[in-house]
Each structure stands twice: as structure tokens, then as C-alpha cells.
Amino acid sequence: MKNSNSSIYSKVQRNWDWRAAGNFIGGGVGSGLIFWSILLSPLGYDSLWLMLAGLALVGTGLFCVWLEIGRPWRALNVFKHVSTSWMSREAIVAPPLFAAGAACWLFEPLLAWPTALLALLFLYSQSRILLADKGIPAWRHPRCPQLVITTGLTEGCGLLILALPLIDTHQPWSWALMLILLGLRVLAWQHYRAGLEQASAPPACQKKFTAINPQFLWLGHIAPAVLLGFAFVQAEAAMLAGILAIGSGAWMKYTLICKASFIQGYSMQHIPVRGQRAPQRSVSAH
Amino acid sequence: MNSSNTKTVPSYCYNCVAGPDPMKVEVVDGVATQVMPNFDACDSHPGKGRPCVKAYGLVQKTYNPHRVLQPMKRTNPNKGMDEDPGFVPISWDEALTLLTDKLNSIRAKGLIDEQGTPRTAATFGHGGTPMYYMGTFPAFLASWGPIDFSFGSGQGVKCVHSEHLYGEFWHRAFTVAADTPYTRYVLSLGTNVDATGGPCAIARHADARVRGYKRVQVEPHQSVTGATAAEWVPIRPKTDAAFMFALIHSMLHDHPRNELDIDFLRDQTASPYLVGPDGLYLRDPDSAKPLIWDSEQQQAVPFDRVNVIPALEGTFKVGHAISVDADDERHQLNDIEATTGFNKLLDHVAQYSPDWAARICDIPADTIRRIASEYLDNACIGETIEIDGATLPFRPVAVTLGKSVNNGWGAYECCWARTVMATLVGALEVPGGTLGTTVRLNRPHEDRLRSVKPGIDGFMEQKLNPTDKENWVAKPTGRNAHTTLVPIVGSSAWSQALGPTQLAWMFQKDRPEGFNLPEPTKPDIWFIFRSNPAISFWDTRSLNKSIADFPYTVSFAYTLDETNWMADLLLPEATDLESTQLIPIGGTKFVEQFWKHKGAILRQKVVEPQGEAKDFTWISTELAKRMDLLDKYNTAINRGAGGVAPLRGEGYDFSLDINKAHQPDEIWDAVCKATSTELSNNEETKDLDWYKENGLYLKPIPQKSWYLYPTMKELGIRFEMPYQERLLRIGKELGNRLHEKDIAWWDEQLSEYSALPEWHDIPGRWETALKNEGADPDDYPFWLLATKSMQYHTGANVSIQLMREVSQNVRGHTGVIMNSNSAAKLGIANGDRVEIRSNIGVTIGRAELIQGVRPDTLVIVGQFDHWATPYAKDLEMPSLNTIAPMSLELTDATGSGADIVRVAISKVKGETS
Amino acid sequence: MTRYAMTVDLRRCVGCQTCTAACKQKNGTAPGVQWRKVLDIETGEFPDVRRTFMPVACMHCDEPPCEEVCPTTATQKRDDGLVSIDYDMCIGCSNCVMACPYEARSIAHDVKFAYGDKPMANEAKMFDPARIEVASKCTFCIERIDQAHEQGLTPGVHPEVTPACVNSCASGAMLFGDIEDPNSNVSKLLKETQSFRQHEELGTGPGVYYIWDKNDEEL
Ligand SMILES: Nc1nc2c(c(=O)[nH]1)N[C@H]1C(S)=C(S)[C@@H](COP(=O)(O)OP(=O)(O)OC[C@H]3O[C@@H](n4cnc5c(=O)[nH]c(N)nc54)[C@H](O)[C@@H]3O)O[C@H]1N2
Ligand SMILES: Nc1nc2c(c(=O)[nH]1)N[C@H]1C(S)=C(S)[C@@H](COP(=O)(O)OP(=O)(O)OC[C@H]3O[C@@H](n4cnc5c(=O)[nH]c(N)nc54)[C@H](O)[C@@H]3O)O[C@H]1N2
Ligand code: SF4
Ligand code: SF4
Ligand code: SF4
Ligand code: SF4
Ligand code: SF4
Ligand SMILES: [Mo]
């Protein structure tokens, strides 16, 4: 069925803007950072600042959401539906995450482990929020969570690479990790987009992703990978790779939340029969 | 809402001519909050008690902050679009004093001016619906004396005009509809009933669709009605006549005769009337009665000779007969060859083959042939149906025409062809067929069947304006000269408003060469109510200048608008939900209001009037009192001018004391009682309170009354079809009169008077008109058409936000409709701001690109382009009326014109998509 | 069990928007907020073009994704199939708006009236501040359904307890009733006709049925 007018074309959702994207970006990068900081320091001591930075990012993201919601003073209602709502679950993970982080900082560095786990859970919840939003084909696709999680971890790692020289020294193992994550992210990205195509997601949505694809590949993956290789010669190059990995991930997520989030649109499976059926007419007659 | 202060109040909506439709209004703490159906009328109202979307706008209408809520007088003596009128509020007392002083000064000068036309003029718009909101004002007008209704607003001449006139002429059909509940096949040429027919038409057609009827919509763009049809045929504008001629050709020349209703043609129509070589009926030398050919005795006999089987077809030798030409000129005819009217038709349409029409209409010849076959296949020739115990022919095929097909040049041809098509299969005025719905030019309005009386030549009686030497009205009595120029419009109460009202406007400014009718004067006072000619007519910018020239304009005003911008006095009347009026319902109404009941419905004061708005009946009484006209005014009310039934009748008397000023409720109480008493044959009397509670009073009428056929048969009258001898003669006579007076500027119009209409290049008239204006038709490659909006009733509710909001869901409501392929060629994208240009002006809107419109056609919905009406003036909506010229050349013989104009379209410069 | 559902006969609908207006008025929704509307859809290419009108509103799904994602339990599905929103509970997070595949929900952020900032008398009567900044959508005219129990009336049969849009429909395109009751108007009509529901593949179990032809078996 060929549509010649736009009334049932899907449009981009307008309810979640940069503030919601901020939550997914902040939450992703923040929880990723918290998670990787554990690898840096399994005992927790050296990663405290990184963890706190990660928590701050997660907090900023949540603050963004708070700014977005219509009735902020009722925000506590958000905890009421843990039985099915991933938004409730995301919310319910946040307090223990912050509590664990605080306890880790104040009392017991070993608590970095549960903190990291909670951060992972937080990231996972975020990915499920999107998956549950059936009105947005780009989000509800089963391959969307993988992408959201890998990109969160990749950005977290990017931030780690960026932050390490500030609090410590360059750690080449993080470069290697980053290379792996970049590989995973690009795989998840291609896999996801192939999935959208198979699922016949709105063409306009796919177009948004296709439009950012070259830059996402070159600036977000190939360039950082090359830079990481170069980092073994000139360590600062890794920092640039980290920036590129974070920036490209954030940009991709912003696209996912705000630009490619075309709504489902309506469907009319059958044109109604109005009285007797219309006779077949040959188009060539005109 | 469910508080104890909530009530629902029955009333009616008659905002457009498809009404009246019953409704209820919810009132919470004295505030109207919502409109809803009146399911008490579910079984009687053809729309099942539901009003349409427009009625839902009445709540906002009531509380619209832009209303005029106090009488206002103009302080700026200069009038013009750029002149702020400087309205200042005044009291009702001051307003009525100003008005009575003015009226008294007119009465002192004489009600008729030096040119013989009334000094008082009035314009009430939108197809006569203001009547149902003006309370007893008609009684005041009746008490006043002569009034000129010449200045139209497009109602009439831009309405379904030729249908009004020829429809009444042929089958008492002021408006024409399909017998939708019974029909199997409707050929609709531009009839937009699913947008314009109100809930009655919508419900009837929806039922028919589910039942499985087929509607073929022939129209240059796919309107709402095109959408809901089974098939859409995108015809080239203004070529419908050729299409229908070809259908008739195909029915007569491609199909065996027995597919037609031979009995009907022979016995109920003029088909067997013999036509002589001079194109006139052959008549009996003694009685001057038309002759038919007695197929048994093989001789010509008067048409009313009993026990004769007339020949339908054939050529016959007639020894001696006469013919009666214009001005009663009699020709003796001896030994001539005569043929029947039917034969004339046969020969006439031989030239109009489907292949011929295909080129003109841009419709494949095969499609034309197929439609002709489908029409015949569904006609059920020979079948009957039982209605109210009577056996009637069952011919479930109908042909209907929309506005712009049935007005302006080509409309006569289309109306004729429409009725011929019905006639050929006997589907005229029988169940399933093509029916008239109401009468307005003939009396009584409330009973179409009783308006039929036997007249000359075996046809029904016609009240035409005289064209004979003695009685022709050489000096117009009104400024649109309807009695002088348009015989067929007659001279009843509605005739003037259906005259060539554009002439009244045009002649104010320019008069044709050789114009020698009395120089038109300006009315000393002009009343305007529920009408906005400055938006609704053609060439509105220049028409506006004429309005500005009127010396004294009194507007009953709802808001400021483009017409009352030039007014001297604004009087706010209590509107739809704020005032009281009882009107007739059921019986004959416009469009598809086919009821099986008849009665009266009350519009009541659902809520208190806002501000200082006053009930129209109060205003009327107050005026009558101040003008010392109470006795005449009350007498008119007693006669029934204000409502439904006369206040005194057989066995009842509720008449008012004629010397007293009565309050509105007193008056309507009497009307309510009289009406119910009359309707129930004195069995019961219902007062105003009863109506307030119950809304409407009905009594059943037989469905048989929908069909004129039984009456025609009973009275032994034939339909005046297909050969138009009378019109031919009248045209000649009119020509004689005009030429005797050296009037040549109506000659083109005279060419329309033909016995069998011929195809002439109808769309070409618009191109020629351009050339005559010195323009090049190639510069204006598109046709621009108008189409009505379901959510708007003409321009009357353009200031209602709710209508604006919901109309945005329906295409066409943001600008101009255009074919996307044509747009691509011009670099126009969807939503672009475009200018649509004709030779007289420009109108601006947004392009709405679709596939469902011919590549050579643009369409603008409704009538907008407001510049004074609050709210509406901020919606940048284009209008055909701003750029369609008003011209004598584009006026047909009935005095109407079509909403169509040649235009160019381009993106507004300096804007990007 | 009772499961309220709506049928929309696409053969009847003329796109007049009477239902759109009736819903707005009955529910006092702000300018721009339409709990229901009727789409004007064109398909095909000149001259083989079809134009169809399709009313849309909340489908009152069997498995409403809006309910699932709602973090506050403001959105709830009732036993009779109605999906409702508790305006006092809702935080306006829009998650349900994204979850709904039928564009049924919206959030009005500002107080708006038909003619600017000041409400008309009727708007003042109907204005409900609780509806600002929270999600809202078609309720299936829930107060009327609830009254049905109190008054012993049947939704879909008695207009007092039938949705305003259904009552108003000029073409009689819509019916409302209990689809679990084989004798209800909706059940009977669905038996005689062919219908579809939008996006059934998403597993939402929408409660609005679109009728497009008679049932061939009935021919
Ligand atoms: N482009 C285009 N032009 C057309 C047509 C078309 O389809 N397209 N249609 C033509 C036809 S068929 C007709 S009949 C005419 C009709 O055209 P008009 O006779 O002009 O009728 P309306 O547009 O209904 O009248 C509009 C005026 O009535 C006022 N009004 C509305 N309600 C009230 C009220 O309660 N009280 C008072 N006092 N005033 C009120 C409005 O403010 C507005 O100024 O238009 C013709 N012109
Ligand atoms: N909702 C609503 N209903 C109304 C009114 C209203 O304003 N609003 N007005 C009432 C009044 S006053 C009137 S007069 C009636 C009019 O009722 P209709 O005659 O049904 O009015 P239109 O919608 O103008 O329909 C005419 C159609 O003819 C098409 N058309 C134009 N030119 C041609 C042509 O050359 N050939 C063919 N085949 N088609 C052509 C136009 O595109 C248009 O769609 O409606 C009445 N009902
Ligand atoms: S069709 Fe006309 S009269 Fe009837 S409800 Fe609609 S606007 Fe009123
Ligand atoms: S249509 Fe949308 S809002 Fe309504 S119940 Fe289904 S998912 Fe929820
Ligand atoms: S906006 Fe309200 S109803 Fe919707 S998901 Fe959020 S809390 Fe629930
Ligand atoms: S059921 Fe009620 S709330 Fe829902 S669309 Fe209809 S009128 Fe509006
Ligand atoms: S009221 Fe009925 S016919 Fe009109 S748009 Fe709504 S569903 Fe369609
Ligand atoms: Mo009209």
C-alpha cells in the first residue's frame, strides 16, 4: 500500500528531549566508569575518585530526568511499580547504588564490588526501559539493550582512559580493553541496524542511523582504534581515543533517544469496502 | 459532570441548510458545557437524533470572547477596509431610537425610491437559515412594507441554483436527492452529501453502503463524498454536461429499448408529444393542445384523448396542425412530417458518443459506457414496491448534482440531463430514484405534493415571471431585476433572493454597454444578518467597496466581520443557545431530511444571553412598538409569519391582542399551542413549557409523501421531459422583450433557452472571459474550485476554535489542495506557502499535496481569507472568492455562476520549503 | 467476565470529526489535546486513489504496555478492560507515552484555553488542574461506565452510560459493549463482519476493532 499523504506516517516522539537523553548518556557513561574502575583497583582504594565521578554522572542523569518529568514533587511515586516497570527498577537501584558508593568511600573500599554490580544493574535497567517502550520501534527492538549496554561500557572505559592519567598513570591494559569494547560496540551497532531493517522499522528512523553511520564508524571506532595503537608510542593519543569513544557514543545515544525515535504510526490493514467493490480500472487509460 | 445543578435541555441546530437537527445541551450551574444528541428523536429524525460536528461549536459560539455584546454605533464617517469604524457602545434605547429615526425618515420619503425600488434592503445569508434564528423579525418586515432582497451573499446564485429553478420546474424539487434508503446505484456529479448533507444524509448513506449500494462520484477531486463512494471518476471541470450527454447517448443508442421504462416515458412524460419542423409542439388546431400519435388509429390526436396508446418513436405525416410560437404567434402547418419528443432526443444525442465525450471530459469511453450499463442494470425496470399500502414503481437508480455542476454555465444542461436520465428509466420521483426534497418557489412550502396543480399542455402549473408584451416587468422592482430577466425564478417570497443577485452588486459599479434599465440606486437602509457577502461572494475586495458606499447599514451582529466593518449600527441578538423560536420540522426540508413525521421543534433559551444580547423577537416587537406598527406586526404573527401555524384556525384561537407589545415567551407560547393544536387536529394543545421539556412535537406522515409520482398520476399530469418546448418559447419571448427595449447585454444568456440543450465549449467560456479581459489563458493553467467543509457552515463559524482544531484533521483545511505531481513540476513542496493568482487578484495559503485531485485542478475548502473577523483573521487561509471575478459574461440564464476560476500557482517568493 | 470493547465500522465513517469534537467537549480537553481523532488517509496514485477515514484513540489493550512501564501504577488496567490513569499519582514521566504503540497518550504541559489565557465560562466549568503535566488519554468515558453499575444500565445500549463519541457519531460507525457477552451489539456485529485490530503483532490485544467488510460466510 503506497501512502501519498502523511497522516499515518510516523513522526519522531517529542516527549523526551535532551534531558531524557542526558539520563541515558550520564547513566551509561557513569555506570560504565564505575564498573571499569573495579578492574583498575579490585580492592577499591585507587578507584574511589573514579567511582565518585561515575556516581556524579549517574546523579546528573537522574537530575535531568527530574527536570523532565511533569510533576517533579511527586517523584517518589516512581518506586511504586517494581513488579513490571523498568523505570521503577532503575529508580530502585539508584539509592542502593549511591548508598554503596558512599559507604565505599566513607567506610569500606571493598564495597566497590557491590557498587559496580549495582551500576551494571542500573545500566541494564536503562536498556530495559527502552526495550519496554513498544511505541518506538527503534527502542523496542530486542537488539537495542545490547547496544545500550555495550555503548555504556565503552563510554565508561573511554572516560576511564581519559581520567587515569589525571589520578594515576596511563594503563595500557585499559587501551586493550577499549579496543575490545570498540569491537563489541561496532558489532552491536551493525547487528542492531540489521535487526531494524529486518523488522521493517520506520524508514525515517533507519535513515537517521544511516546518516550518522560513517562518522560513528570512523570517528567513533576506527579513529579511536588507530589512536589506541598509536598510544603505545605516544600515550596521550589514548586520551583522544577516549574522548572520541565517549563523544561518539553520546551522540549515537542522543540520536537514538531524540532523533531516531520515530513512533510506531498507525496501520490500516484493509481499505473498507464502501458499498459495491470498486471496479478494477487500468491506470494506463489516463 | 454530575452535579445536581446539571440539566440537559432539548433544542435544535439549523446552522446550515441540511438542518434542522435535534440536539440536547448540557447546562451546569447555568453554563452550557456540551452538546449531545437528542435520542428522544432517535426513531423519528433521519439522522437518529444526532447533530453534526458543527453543532458542537455552539458552546464556544455562546461564550466566544469576541462577541459583540452591546449595541454599537459607528463614529468614523468614512468607510473602507482601512478605516477603523470606531464603534462605540451605546444602550439599546439609544440604538433603537437611532434606528427608528432612520426608518421614520425613510417612511417620510416614501418606501419606494425614485427608480421604483424599495429604499429598504435586507440580506439574510446562508441558504435561508437565518429565518430560523430571527424569531418574529419576518413579521416586522411584513408590517414594514416593500423590501429589496436583491443583494445576495452568494446564497442562491452560488448555491445549487439551476437545480433550484429547473428542479422546481420539472418536479418540484428545490433540492434534489437520491432516495438513499432504497436506491442501488447513485451517480453523483459533485454532490458532496457526506460533507454537506448533515447527519441525515450521512446516516442514510452509511446505511446504504453497508447494505451494498454503489455510489459513483464524478468529481475533479476526491472529496469526502468521493472518498466514501465505491468509485471515483476524476472528470475535467465543467464538462459534466458532455459526460451526461454521452451517458444518455449510450443508453439510447448502445442498449435495446426495453432496458428503458417505455411505459413511463409514454404515459408520464412529454416524450410522445409531436414536434413539428419548426421545433414547436404540434397542436390541435381547435384546442391548441399538443398532439400525440395514436398508434392504433394512426392519427394525431390531442395528448389527453383517452384510451389512446401514443407512439413513442417514429416519424408521422400530419395533415393539419398548428404550432404556437413566442408571443402567441400561431403557425398553420399542413401536411408536414412530425416526430416525437423522444425521437428528437434520440437524434439530438446521436452526436454525443462516449468516444466524443472521452476527449472532452478526460474519462475513458469505456468507463462512460460501463456506467451507462450499470445504471440500466440497476434500474429494475418493471419492478414495484409496496409503500404505505400503495404499489409504486421501484427504480433504484439516482443521479445527483453538486454545487458548481448545477450552477453557472452548463448547469441547465446538467440539470436537464440529470432529469432525462431519471426519466428514461422511470426513476423520477419513485422509490429508489431521484427525488425532490422541498419546494421554495412554489407554495405551499410545507407540502410539496400540494404545490402541484394541473397547468397547460398536460404539465404542472408554473408560476413564471411573465414574458408576454403586456405583462413583462420592464422596470425591475428590485435591484437584481429577477422579474425582468429570469422568468423561471418566479416572483414568490423566495424568488428575489434567487434572482441574479450579483447583478445588483455589479450594477452598483459598472453597467454593461447599452444599459438602459433604471439606474440602480443605493438602498437608504440595509439590514444584514448572518451573512457576510464581503467574504462569501465573488470579487470580494471590490464588492466590499460597494458595501462601503451604502449610506446606512444595520447589522445584527455576532462578532465584527468584513461586512459589518462598514455598518453604522451593530445590534447584538441573543444567538443559538440564548433565544426562543418554534419552527416546522419534517415534511419538506432541504437536502436529505426525509422524515416520516411532521411537526414543530423548539429552539429555546438554554442559557441566559451573554451581555446585552437580546432575543430577536424582543428586538422585533420593540421596533414594531416604536414604529407604531404593533397592529400590523401582531396581525402578521397571528397569520403565522413568526412561526409554524396561524394562531387562529379551525376550532382554536390563540391569537394575540394586536395592539399590545408581547414578550417573546408570550408569543411563542401562543405559537406552540396553535401549532400542536393544528397538527393534532384539535386533539391536544401543548404550551411552551411542554415544548421546553420535550423539545419537539411530531405526528406521523406517510412515507408515500416523499414521492411525487403518485400525485402526478392521480392528477393526470406529465413530467415536462425531455423536450423543452416551453422554455424555448419563453426564451424567444424574453428575447423579443429585451430587444424591443434595446437590451443586447443579456443575449448570451438567451442562448440557454433551447428545447434540447446542445454541448458548447463550457469550460471555454472561462478562457474566453480571460481573453476578453485582455489576459492570456495560458498564464492561468489551473482550474481552481471550491468545496465545502464538514466542520464549517460557509463562513459563519470561522471564529470557533473547536472547529478550527478538529478541521485540521481533515485535508484541505490548511490551504490549497494540489496534485503532488503537478506541484513537483513547479518545485512546490507540501506545506509551502503559495500564492494563487487569477487575473483579478492573489490569495495566499499553504500547499496541501495529494494524489486525489486532477493534475490540472486546485481546490480551496470553504470560504476564508478574513481580515476583520476576530480569530478567523489570524488564520492565513486562502479563498477562491478573493480572486474569482464577478462578471455578466460568466452569469448563466438563471442568473447564477459557478465557483470556478482559472489560476496560476507559485511558491511565495523568498520562502524556502 | 466483562470486557468492554469498541467497534469502528470503516465503511460508515465519513471523517466528520463529530466524535472528535464530542469527546473534547464531554471531557473538557484543552485546545490541541485530542483523546480521539479521525485520520484522513490517502492511498494509491492518481487516478487510482482511495481515501479512508480511520478513528483512533486508546485501544484499552488487554496487555497494555503503558501499564507495564508506568513506574507509579498511575496507569492501571481494570477487570472490565478499561485502562485508566490516576492523575494524582502520575508524575508525568512520559514513559507510557513511549510505550503506547497507538499514539493514544499525551501530556499537556501548559494551561491553555480556546481564546488565549482566559477561560470562557464553559472552560472554567470543565477545567481540571489535575490534568496538567500528567499523562491523559481516552478513558472509554469511565465515569459513565461506572454509573452503569449504579443505575443498572448497560453501556453501549443506554446512551447515558455509553461513551460520548459513540453516541455522537453521525454515521453510526461505532458500537460499544461487552465483547465477552455473545449477545452484545459488538459481539453480534463482529460475527457478521470482517475486522482487524491495529498492530496485533505487538501482542497488546487492542480492544478496538475495525470493521472493513461483511463476513463472506454471511453472503
Ligand atoms: N468560496 C466559496 N464561497 C461560497 C461558497 C463556497 O462553498 N465556497 N458557498 C456559497 C453558498 S452556497 C452560500 S449559501 C453562501 C453563504 O454565505 P453567507 O450568506 O455570507 O453566509 P454565512 O457565511 O453563513 O454567514 C456568515 C456571517 O454570519 C455571522 N453569524 C454567524 N452566526 C451568527 C449569529 O448567531 N448571529 C449573527 N448576528 N450573525 C451570525 C458570521 O459572523 C458571519 O459574518 O456562500 C457562498 N460562497
Ligand atoms: N458542512 C456544510 N454543509 C453544508 C454547507 C456548509 O457550508 N457546510 N452549506 C450548505 C449550502 S448553503 C449548500 S448550497 C450546500 C451545497 O452542497 P454541495 O453541492 O454538496 O457543496 P460542495 O461541497 O461545494 O460540493 C460541490 C462539489 O463539486 C465539485 N465540483 C466543482 N466543480 C465541478 C465540476 O465542474 N464538475 C464536477 N463533477 N464537480 C465539480 C467540488 O469540488 C465540490 O466538491 O451545502 C449545504 N450544506
Ligand atoms: S447539519 Fe447543519 S443544521 Fe444539522 S446539525 Fe449540522 S450544522 Fe446543524
Ligand atoms: S492504546 Fe496505548 S494507552 Fe491505550 S491501553 Fe493500549 S498501550 Fe495503553
Ligand atoms: S506519565 Fe504518568 S501514567 Fe505515564 S508512565 Fe509516567 S507516571 Fe505512569
Ligand atoms: S470513549 Fe470517551 S474518552 Fe474515549 S474517545 Fe470516546 S468520548 Fe473520548
Ligand atoms: S463521528 Fe463517526 S463518522 Fe464522524 S468521524 Fe467520527 S467515527 Fe467517523
Ligand atoms: Mo448555499
Side-chain angles (χ1 to χ4, degrees), chain A residues 46-82:
Chain A
D46 302 330
S47 58
L48 258 181
W49 288 109
L50 292 180
M51 198 162 65
L52 289 178
L55 285 174
L57 280 166
V58 172
T60 312
L62 288 173
F63 181 68
C64 283
V65 175
W66 188 77
L67 287 180
E68 174 116 74
I69 65 175
R71 296 283 193 163
W73 306 117
R74 290 182 195 159
L76 291 181
N77 287 351
V78 79
F79 299 111
K80 289 201 167 144
H81 205 199
V82 193

Coordinates of all heavy atoms in Angstrom, one line a residue, chain A residues 46-82:
Chain A
D46 N 42.1 2.7 44.9 CA 42.6 3.7 43.9 C 41.5 4.2 43.0 O 41.7 5.1 42.3 CB 43.7 3.0 43.1 CG 44.8 2.6 44.0 OD1 45.0 3.2 45.0 OD2 45.5 1.6 43.6
S47 N 40.3 3.5 43.1 CA 39.3 3.9 42.1 C 38.2 4.8 42.7 O 37.3 5.1 42.1 CB 38.6 2.6 41.6 OG 38.1 1.9 42.6
L48 N 38.4 5.1 44.0 CA 37.3 5.9 44.7 C 36.9 7.1 43.9 O 35.7 7.4 43.7 CB 37.8 6.3 46.1 CG 37.3 5.5 47.2 CD1 37.8 6.0 48.5 CD2 35.8 5.5 47.2
W49 N 37.9 7.9 43.4 CA 37.5 9.1 42.7 C 36.8 8.9 41.4 O 35.8 9.6 41.1 CB 38.8 10.0 42.5 CG 39.3 10.5 43.8 CD1 40.4 10.2 44.4 CD2 38.6 11.5 44.5 NE1 40.5 10.9 45.6 CE2 39.4 11.7 45.7 CE3 37.5 12.3 44.4 CZ2 39.1 12.7 46.7 CZ3 37.1 13.2 45.3 CH2 37.9 13.4 46.5
L50 N 37.2 7.8 40.8 CA 36.6 7.4 39.5 C 35.1 7.0 39.8 O 34.2 7.4 39.1 CB 37.3 6.3 38.8 CG 38.7 6.6 38.3 CD1 39.3 5.4 37.6 CD2 38.5 7.8 37.3
M51 N 35.0 6.3 40.9 CA 33.6 5.8 41.3 C 32.7 7.0 41.6 O 31.6 7.1 41.2 CB 33.7 4.8 42.4 CG 32.5 4.0 42.6 SD 32.8 2.6 43.6 CE 33.2 3.4 45.1
L52 N 33.3 7.9 42.3 CA 32.5 9.1 42.7 C 32.1 9.9 41.5 O 31.0 10.4 41.3 CB 33.3 9.9 43.7 CG 33.4 9.3 45.1 CD1 34.2 10.2 46.0 CD2 32.0 9.1 45.7
A53 N 33.1 10.0 40.6 CA 32.8 10.7 39.3 C 31.6 10.0 38.6 O 30.7 10.6 38.1 CB 34.0 10.8 38.4
G54 N 31.8 8.7 38.6 CA 30.7 7.9 37.9 C 29.4 8.1 38.6 O 28.3 8.3 37.9
L55 N 29.3 8.1 39.9 CA 28.1 8.3 40.6 C 27.5 9.7 40.3 O 26.3 9.9 40.1 CB 28.3 8.2 42.1 CG 28.5 6.7 42.6 CD1 28.8 6.7 44.1 CD2 27.2 6.0 42.3
A56 N 28.5 10.7 40.2 CA 28.0 12.1 39.9 C 27.4 12.1 38.5 O 26.3 12.8 38.3 CB 29.2 13.0 39.9
L57 N 27.9 11.3 37.6 CA 27.3 11.3 36.3 C 26.0 10.7 36.3 O 25.0 11.2 35.7 CB 28.3 10.5 35.3 CG 29.4 11.4 34.8 CD1 30.5 10.5 34.1 CD2 29.0 12.4 33.8
V58 N 25.9 9.6 37.0 CA 24.6 8.9 37.1 C 23.6 9.9 37.8 O 22.4 10.1 37.3 CB 24.7 7.6 38.0 CG1 23.3 7.1 38.3 CG2 25.5 6.6 37.2
G59 N 24.0 10.6 38.8 CA 23.2 11.5 39.5 C 22.7 12.6 38.6 O 21.6 13.1 38.6
T60 N 23.7 13.1 37.8 CA 23.3 14.2 36.9 C 22.2 13.7 35.9 O 21.3 14.5 35.6 CB 24.6 14.7 36.0 OG1 25.6 14.9 37.0 CG2 24.3 15.9 35.3
G61 N 22.4 12.5 35.4 CA 21.4 11.9 34.5 C 20.1 11.9 35.2 O 19.1 12.3 34.6
L62 N 20.0 11.5 36.4 CA 18.7 11.4 37.1 C 18.2 12.8 37.4 O 17.0 13.0 37.3 CB 18.9 10.6 38.4 CG 19.2 9.1 38.3 CD1 19.5 8.5 39.6 CD2 17.9 8.4 37.6
F63 N 19.1 13.7 37.6 CA 18.6 15.1 37.8 C 17.9 15.6 36.5 O 16.9 16.3 36.5 CB 19.8 16.0 38.2 CG 19.3 17.4 38.5 CD1 18.5 17.7 39.5 CD2 19.8 18.4 37.6 CE1 18.1 19.0 39.8 CE2 19.4 19.7 37.8 CZ 18.5 20.0 38.9
C64 N 18.6 15.2 35.4 CA 18.0 15.6 34.1 C 16.5 15.0 34.0 O 15.6 15.7 33.6 CB 18.8 15.0 33.0 SG 20.3 15.9 32.6
V65 N 16.4 13.8 34.4 CA 15.0 13.2 34.3 C 14.1 14.0 35.2 O 12.9 14.3 34.9 CB 15.1 11.7 34.8 CG1 13.7 11.2 34.8 CG2 15.9 10.9 33.8
W66 N 14.6 14.3 36.4 CA 13.7 15.0 37.3 C 13.2 16.3 36.7 O 12.1 16.8 36.9 CB 14.5 15.2 38.6 CG 13.6 15.8 39.7 CD1 12.7 15.1 40.5 CD2 13.6 17.1 40.2 NE1 12.1 15.9 41.4 CE2 12.7 17.2 41.2 CE3 14.3 18.3 39.8 CZ2 12.4 18.4 41.9 CZ3 14.0 19.5 40.5 CH2 13.0 19.5 41.5
L67 N 14.2 16.9 36.0 CA 13.8 18.2 35.3 C 12.7 17.9 34.2 O 11.9 18.8 33.9 CB 15.0 18.8 34.6 CG 16.0 19.5 35.5 CD1 17.2 20.0 34.6 CD2 15.4 20.6 36.3
E68 N 12.8 16.7 33.7 CA 11.9 16.4 32.5 C 10.5 16.1 33.0 O 9.5 16.4 32.3 CB 12.5 15.2 31.7 CG 11.6 14.8 30.6 CD 12.2 15.0 29.3 OE1 13.1 14.2 28.9 OE2 11.8 15.9 28.5
I69 N 10.3 15.4 34.1 CA 9.0 14.9 34.4 C 8.1 16.1 34.8 O 8.5 17.1 35.3 CB 9.0 13.9 35.6 CG1 9.5 14.5 36.9 CG2 9.8 12.7 35.2 CD1 9.4 13.5 38.0
G70 N 6.8 15.9 34.5 CA 5.8 16.9 34.7 C 5.5 17.3 36.1 O 5.3 18.4 36.5
R71 N 5.6 16.3 37.0 CA 5.2 16.5 38.4 C 6.4 16.1 39.3 O 6.3 15.1 40.0 CB 4.0 15.7 38.8 CG 2.7 16.1 38.0 CD 2.1 17.3 38.5 NE 0.8 17.5 38.0 CZ -0.1 18.4 38.5 NH1 0.2 19.1 39.6 NH2 -1.3 18.5 38.0
P72 N 7.5 16.9 39.3 CA 8.7 16.5 40.0 C 8.5 16.3 41.5 O 9.1 15.5 42.1 CB 9.7 17.7 39.7 CG 8.8 18.8 39.1 CD 7.6 18.2 38.6
W73 N 7.5 17.0 42.1 CA 7.3 16.9 43.5 C 6.7 15.6 43.9 O 6.5 15.3 45.1 CB 6.6 18.2 44.1 CG 7.4 19.4 43.7 CD1 6.9 20.4 42.9 CD2 8.8 19.7 43.9 NE1 7.9 21.3 42.6 CE2 9.1 20.9 43.3 CE3 9.8 19.0 44.7 CZ2 10.3 21.5 43.3 CZ3 11.0 19.6 44.7 CH2 11.3 20.8 44.0
R74 N 6.2 14.9 42.9 CA 5.7 13.6 43.2 C 6.6 12.5 42.9 O 6.3 11.3 42.7 CB 4.4 13.3 42.4 CG 3.2 14.1 42.7 CD 2.1 13.7 41.8 NE 1.0 14.6 41.8 CZ 0.1 14.8 40.9 NH1 0.1 14.0 39.8 NH2 -0.8 15.7 41.0
A75 N 7.9 12.9 42.7 CA 8.9 11.9 42.1 C 8.9 10.6 42.9 O 9.2 9.6 42.3 CB 10.2 12.6 42.0
L76 N 8.6 10.7 44.1 CA 8.8 9.5 44.9 C 7.8 8.4 44.5 O 8.1 7.2 44.8 CB 8.6 9.8 46.4 CG 9.7 10.6 47.0 CD1 9.5 10.9 48.5 CD2 11.1 9.9 46.8
N77 N 6.7 8.7 43.8 CA 5.8 7.7 43.3 C 6.5 6.7 42.3 O 6.0 5.7 42.0 CB 4.6 8.3 42.6 CG 3.7 9.0 43.5 OD1 3.8 8.8 44.7 ND2 2.7 9.7 43.0
V78 N 7.7 7.1 41.9 CA 8.4 6.3 40.9 C 8.7 4.9 41.4 O 8.9 4.0 40.6 CB 9.6 7.1 40.4 CG1 10.8 7.0 41.4 CG2 10.0 6.6 39.0
F79 N 8.7 4.8 42.7 CA 9.1 3.5 43.2 C 8.0 2.5 43.2 O 8.2 1.4 43.7 CB 9.7 3.6 44.6 CG 10.9 4.5 44.6 CD1 10.9 5.8 45.2 CD2 12.1 4.1 44.0 CE1 12.0 6.6 45.2 CE2 13.3 4.9 44.0 CZ 13.2 6.1 44.6
K80 N 6.8 2.9 42.8 CA 5.7 2.1 43.1 C 5.4 0.8 42.3 O 4.5 0.0 42.6 CB 4.4 2.9 43.1 CG 4.4 3.9 44.3 CD 3.0 4.4 44.5 CE 3.0 5.1 45.9 NZ 2.1 6.2 45.9
H81 N 6.1 0.7 41.2 CA 5.7 -0.4 40.3 C 6.9 -1.3 39.9 O 7.1 -1.6 38.7 CB 5.1 0.2 39.0 CG 4.2 -0.7 38.4 ND1 3.8 -0.6 37.1 CD2 3.5 -1.8 38.8 CE1 2.9 -1.6 36.7 NE2 2.8 -2.3 37.8
V82 N 7.6 -1.7 40.9 CA 8.8 -2.5 40.7 C 8.4 -3.8 40.0 O 9.3 -4.5 39.3 CB 9.6 -2.8 42.0 CG1 10.9 -3.3 41.7 CG2 9.7 -1.5 42.8

